[in-house]
């Protein structure tokens, strides 16, 4: 009887051990499946859409974090959009998600970043830290938030032979799918723009943008990145440049971009502290002092001699018109 009892206990122990081993095997298989999904979603965000002619490469891919976290590590990331002539190379990528919440992914990216386009534009960027998080659903990436500290970028245009240096103390970008549309809000703090061979037009400033792009939700999933803003339309809720001390210039209104990158739209321009803007621009471009004086007087006259002004701007395929018929400049294609 005692032997039979010991035999029954032994069978239960073996059954329990087998169940534990099976559970571990199932969990491990699930972990590696989730890891592969993490890789797919992370690379989708970076642009992997082979059917659209876009590929993303994760060199030396390695999964880490077992058993409670899921992490994808790459020594280098490369994105190639053959159809639109866009090539991007990036540094090391580190991404991770908790096992209990695999749809919430956090990731970091190292520089440098090199970008070349078929339109003759090349950029090289480096930063101190780039961190991001994204929330995914069964359809793809639903929303993302990114912060970049100490961003420095050099932009070279082979078409115009012009070089620019852009530095930003801190960048914050928030994007989300809103049905078929894409909502985006971006803040660039302590920004400097230098054009090689020319004086600095503006001192350090902060730029903000809050925009909705109609039908562009797929850009958040890494799709439709080749065309970018071309063939897009949307609403600019606010695009502003703030020099501090109330010296602000802002734009708002609907806009569209054609297949050549030319912008059209009806925008409201708001300028605060006209006198300060006038002196700032004259100091940077003394050769244009008379033109700047004339323009500031026109702006001030619109408000009866005040120090702020609001006027309507019409954009007609890149041409900037005041009142719908006075041309004051042209915006190059995007």
């Amino acid at each position: 009887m005692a032997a039979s009892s010991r035999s029954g206990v032994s069978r239960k122990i073996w059954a329990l051990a087998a169940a534990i081993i099976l559970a571990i095997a199932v969990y491990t298989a699930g972990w590696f499946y989730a890891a592969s999904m993490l890789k797919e979603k992370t690379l989708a965000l970076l642009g992997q859409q082979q059917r659209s002619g876009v590929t993303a490469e994760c060199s030396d891919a390695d999964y880490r974090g077992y058993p409670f976290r899921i992490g994808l590590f790459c020594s280098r990331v490369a994105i190639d959009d053959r159809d639109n002539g866009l090539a991007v190379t990036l540094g090391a990528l580190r991404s991770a998600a908790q096992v209990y919440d695999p749809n919430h992914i956090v990731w970091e990216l190292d520089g440098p970043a090199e970008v070349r386009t078929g339109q003759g534009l090349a950029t090289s960027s480096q930063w101190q830290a780039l961190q991001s998080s994204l929330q995914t659903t069964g359809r793809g990436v639903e929303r993302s938030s990114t912060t970049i500290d100490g961003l420095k970028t050099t932009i070279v245009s082979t078409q115009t032979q012009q070089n620019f240096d852009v530095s930003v103390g801190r960048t914050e970008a928030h994007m989300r799918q809103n049905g078929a549309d894409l909502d985006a809000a971006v803040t660039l703090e302590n920004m400097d723009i230098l054009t090689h061979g020319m004086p600095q037009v503006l001192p350090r400033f902060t730029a903000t943008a809050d925009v909705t792009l109609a039908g562009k939700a797929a850009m958040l999933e890494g799709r439709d990145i080749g065309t970018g803003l071309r063939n897009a339309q949307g609403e600019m809720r606010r695009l502003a440049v703030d020099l501090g001390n109330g010296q602000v210039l802002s734009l708002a209104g609907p806009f569209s971009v054609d297949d050549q990158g030319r912008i059209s739209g009806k925008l409201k321009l708001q300028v605060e502290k006209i006198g300060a803007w006038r002196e700032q621009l004259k100091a940077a471009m003394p050769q244009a002092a008379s033109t700047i004086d004339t323009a500031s007087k026109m702006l001030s006259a619109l408000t009866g001699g005040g120090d702020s002004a609001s006027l309507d701007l019409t954009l007609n395929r890149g041409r900037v018109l005041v009142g719908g018929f006075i041309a004051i400049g042209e915006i190059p294609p995007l």
Side-chain angles (χ1 to χ4, degrees), residues 218-258:
M219 290 181 67
L220 187 53
E221 302 175 19
R223 295 185 287 120
D224 200 20
I225 63 171
T227 57
L229 295 179
R230 297 194 176 194
N231 294 314
Q233 58 183 352
E235 179 75 20
M236 180 65 71
R237 286 184 288 274
R238 192 167 192 263
L239 174 64
V241 174
D242 186 349
L243 300 188
N245 301 315
Q247 199 173 337
V248 181
L249 183 151
S250 62
L251 287 169
F255 68 94
S256 63
V257 185
D258 64 17

Side-chain angles (χ1 to χ4, degrees), residues 106-109 127 129-133 145-149 170:
V106 295
W107 53 284
E108 297 179 341
L109 190 63
W127 50 83
L130 188 159
Q131 299 176 323
S132 182
S133 68
S145 296
T146 302
T147 61
I148 308 173
D149 292 325
R170 181 174 176 84

Side-chain angles (χ1 to χ4, degrees), residues 118-324:
Q119 289 75 39
L121 195 66
T123 70
S124 176
S125 301
Q126 186 59 276
W127 50 83
Q128 295 174 2
L130 188 159
Q131 299 176 323
S132 182
S133 68
L134 59 96
Q135 190 70 39
T136 67
T137 64
R139 297 173 301 170
V141 180
E142 183 179 50
R143 65 181 64 211
S144 74
S145 296
T146 302
T147 61
I148 308 173
D149 292 325
L151 175 64
K152 296 184 181 297
T153 298
T154 297
I155 304 171
V156 179
S157 172
T158 57
Q159 292 184 345
T160 64
Q161 303 302 315
Q162 190 66 65
N163 295 1
F164 303 88
D165 287 330
V166 180
S167 64
V168 186
R170 181 174 176 84
T171 302
E172 290 192 16
H174 305 276
M175 295 182 287
R176 67 170 185 174
Q177 290 192 20
N178 184 4
D181 302 337
L182 176 65
D183 291 336
V186 180
T187 300
L188 306 172
E189 297 180 0
N190 298 324
M191 185 174 183
D192 287 306
I193 300 178
L194 296 174
T195 303
H196 290 196
M198 297 179 63
Q200 185 172 357
V201 176
L202 293 177
R204 183 168 295 175
F205 63 93
T206 292
T208 59
D210 186 359
V211 62
T212 293
L213 299 175
K216 287 292 186 176
M219 290 181 67
L220 187 53
E221 302 175 19
R223 295 185 287 120
D224 200 20
I225 63 171
T227 57
L229 295 179
R230 297 194 176 194
N231 294 314
Q233 58 183 352
E235 179 75 20
M236 180 65 71
R237 286 184 288 274
R238 192 167 192 263
L239 174 64
V241 174
D242 186 349
L243 300 188
N245 301 315
Q247 199 173 337
V248 181
L249 183 151
S250 62
L251 287 169
F255 68 94
S256 63
V257 185
D258 64 17
D259 58 359
Q260 300 299 314
R262 298 285 186 178
I263 305 176
S264 299
K266 299 284 187 179
L267 303 178
K268 177 74 72 174
L269 172 67
Q270 185 76 32
V271 183
E272 305 291 343
K273 301 285 187 180
I274 295 175
W277 278 99
R278 179 183 62 244
E279 298 307 316
Q280 192 80 59
L281 295 175
K282 287 171 61 176
M285 298 181 292
Q287 71 279 9
S290 61
T291 302
I292 294 170
D293 280 334
T294 300
S296 65
K297 289 176 182 178
M298 290 177 58
L299 281 174
S300 183
L302 294 173
T303 57
D307 203 28
S308 64
S310 178
L311 66 156
D312 295 325
L313 293 183
T314 298
L315 306 182
N316 183 4
R317 302 194 72 246
R319 296 181 65 216
V320 184
L321 309 171
V322 176

